[in-house]
Amino acid sequence: MLIFVSIDNAVLICYNYTVNTVSLSRSDRDAWRIDVYSKVYVEITNVCNMSCSFCHGHSRETRRMSADEFSRVLDALEGQTKFIYYHLMGEPLTHPRLPDFVRLASDRGFKSIITTNGTLLARRGRELIDAGVHKVSISLHSFEDGDDASFERYMSEVSDFADEASRAGVIVVLRLWNRGFDGGRNDKTWELLRSRFDGEWAENTRGIRIRDKLHLEWGDRFEWPDMSADDQGSEVFCYGLRDHFGILCDGSVVPCCMDSDGVITLGNVFDQPLSEILDSPRARAMVDGFEHREASEELCRRCGYARRFI
């Protein structure tokens, strides 16, 4: 009996219950129809309705991806991944075609994961559920600086969506990625959620499983990479271009979800084949560098997040 099991960039080949590990190149994985990346970040808009203290922001021209462009992105991602994360810069719920994009992705065999500040869920959340969204991550720390009345209204609306969506089978993750910067508001958030949701409230390494399909996740605030930031040295590690990459709303391909201004633009998916972009000398140099915990790009030397994995 011969069985193939994909694990990251390798395959376990099981024959007569003997297990061997064989490393694969990207072309090998393409030939065996194995998805190359666990996820791809697709920025359908860089327009946001908030200006959060933790967000780096960007200096690019504001833009929304058209339906035709999104379809072309899906064409390019065939065989590359099954999971599309609507996330880099911008608030995806500001895009009027978001439900259509989710449906189109689903029809093509992709699962859609939305990252949102949550402020538009009261108005558009039902559209996401009906469109078949797979997962919604809500950044509750978006309101760490808001007034109390607005915060409580926001939490009520987010909780309403989380309840409805999780009961409909959508995975909902409530994020508090702001430890040490919440000014005590996380305690209030905890109280509101505990009063709203019954469940097991079981702790795990990333947070709490409130109940089936509903989770609370916490983490530390991190420093975004910026060319004006201090050079922190060349010793870094990153999963960019190995586990994931990103596509900005103008089609620019970037190595990760942290390159908010497209400083490391490897090519444009609207102008050239994705395989050519990801196999370019610049992309290969980045992957080889990360394998040896060495930054080949100046921006990576200024990324606080990448230093978490050293």
Side-chain angles (χ1 to χ4, degrees):
M1 179 175 63
L2 184 63
I3 302 173
F4 299 101
V5 181
S6 173
I7 299 180
D8 196 16
N9 293 341
V11 164
L12 297 183
I13 301 180
C14 308
Y15 183 74
N16 288 341
Y17 305 103
T18 299
V19 179
N20 297 290
T21 303
V22 179
S23 295
L24 298 176
S25 67
R26 179 178 288 111
S27 60
D28 289 334
R29 284 175 279 155
D30 286 345
W32 285 14
R33 298 180 182 274
I34 296 170
D35 289 330
V36 183
Y37 299 94
S38 67
K39 55 184 170 287
V40 175
Y41 296 97
V42 178
E43 178 192 77
I44 61 171
T45 180
N46 59 15
V47 175
C48 189
N49 61 332
M50 294 189 72
S51 181
C52 300
S53 60
F54 63 85
C55 182
H56 180 272
H58 67 89
S59 59
R60 293 176 282 133
E61 181 181 354
T62 56
R63 192 181 192 279
R64 286 175 175 152
M65 191 177 286
S66 70
D68 177 68
E69 289 171 336
F70 184 73
S71 181
R72 291 167 64 189
V73 167
L74 296 183
D75 289 340
L77 294 182
E78 290 282 355
Q80 298 291 334
T81 191
K82 285 292 187 293
F83 296 91
I84 297 177
Y85 282 62
Y86 298 64
H87 174 60
L88 268 109
M89 290 286 102
E91 167 54 53
L93 271 77
T94 65
H95 199 302
R97 299 295 301 275
L98 175 59
D100 298 329
F101 288 4
V102 172
R103 288 190 183 91
L104 181 60
S106 180
D107 290 344
R108 301 278 292 274
F110 297 98
K111 295 185 183 297
S112 293
I113 293 87
I114 306 294
T115 299
T116 175
N117 59 40
T119 57
L120 300 176
L121 287 172
R123 187 192 316 167
R124 305 203 66 193
R126 186 67 237 182
E127 295 178 66
L128 291 182
I129 298 171
D130 292 342
V133 68
H134 177 67
K135 176 180 176 181
V136 178
S137 295
I138 307 169
S139 300
L140 299 182
H141 46 281
S142 301
F143 253 79
E144 63 187 14
D145 299 322
D147 63 81
D148 289 343
S150 296
F151 170 70
E152 291 187 12
R153 182 171 59 253
Y154 165 79
M155 285 300 301
S156 177
E157 293 174 351
V158 165
S159 297
D160 287 345
F161 170 81
D163 187 35
E164 181 180 12
S166 59
R167 292 186 187 281
V170 178
I171 300 170
V172 179
V173 179
L174 307 172
R175 288 178 170 179
L176 288 171
W177 287 12
N178 62 343
R179 282 190 295 205
F181 291 87
D182 66 294
R185 177 158 280 178
N186 284 359
D187 291 337
K188 179 65 173 177
T189 301
W190 174 276
E191 291 174 9
L192 290 171
L193 293 175
R194 283 305 301 253
S195 66
R196 176 63 187 269
F197 296 110
D198 293 326
E200 59 201 72
W201 286 82
E203 290 195 33
N204 54 52
T205 56
R206 301 190 68 177
I208 290 175
R209 183 182 189 274
I210 299 175
R211 68 181 194 212
D212 186 40
K213 305 293 185 181
L214 181 58
H215 305 264
L216 176 61
E217 184 178 278
W218 53 65
D220 298 321
R221 183 181 285 199
F222 53 84
E223 293 296 325
W224 287 74
D226 191 288
M227 290 301 290
S228 64
D230 292 337
D231 187 329
Q232 302 181 48
S234 63
E235 186 181 7
V236 300
F237 180 78
C238 181
Y239 291 100
L241 294 175
R242 176 174 175 168
D243 172 79
H244 62 270
F245 63 91
I247 300 176
L248 302 180
C249 57
D250 66 351
S252 297
V253 176
V254 292
C256 69
C257 66
M258 305 291 289
D259 190 355
S260 60
D261 271 320
V263 173
I264 311 175
T265 294
L266 302 170
N268 193 293
V269 74
F270 299 146
D271 299 330
Q272 62 191 121
L274 182 59
S275 58
E276 181 180 297
I277 297 170
L278 297 175
D279 268 334
S280 66
R282 189 178 186 184
R284 291 199 303 270
M286 291 190 70
V287 173
D288 291 343
F290 291 144
E291 289 285 347
H292 297 90
R293 282 170 166 66
E294 184 80 17
S296 66
E297 295 284 340
E298 285 297 311
L299 185 66
C300 300
R301 298 171 64 100
R302 293 164 170 79
C303 179
Y305 193 79
R307 303 191 70 81
R308 291 182 170 194
F309 306 108
I310 297 177

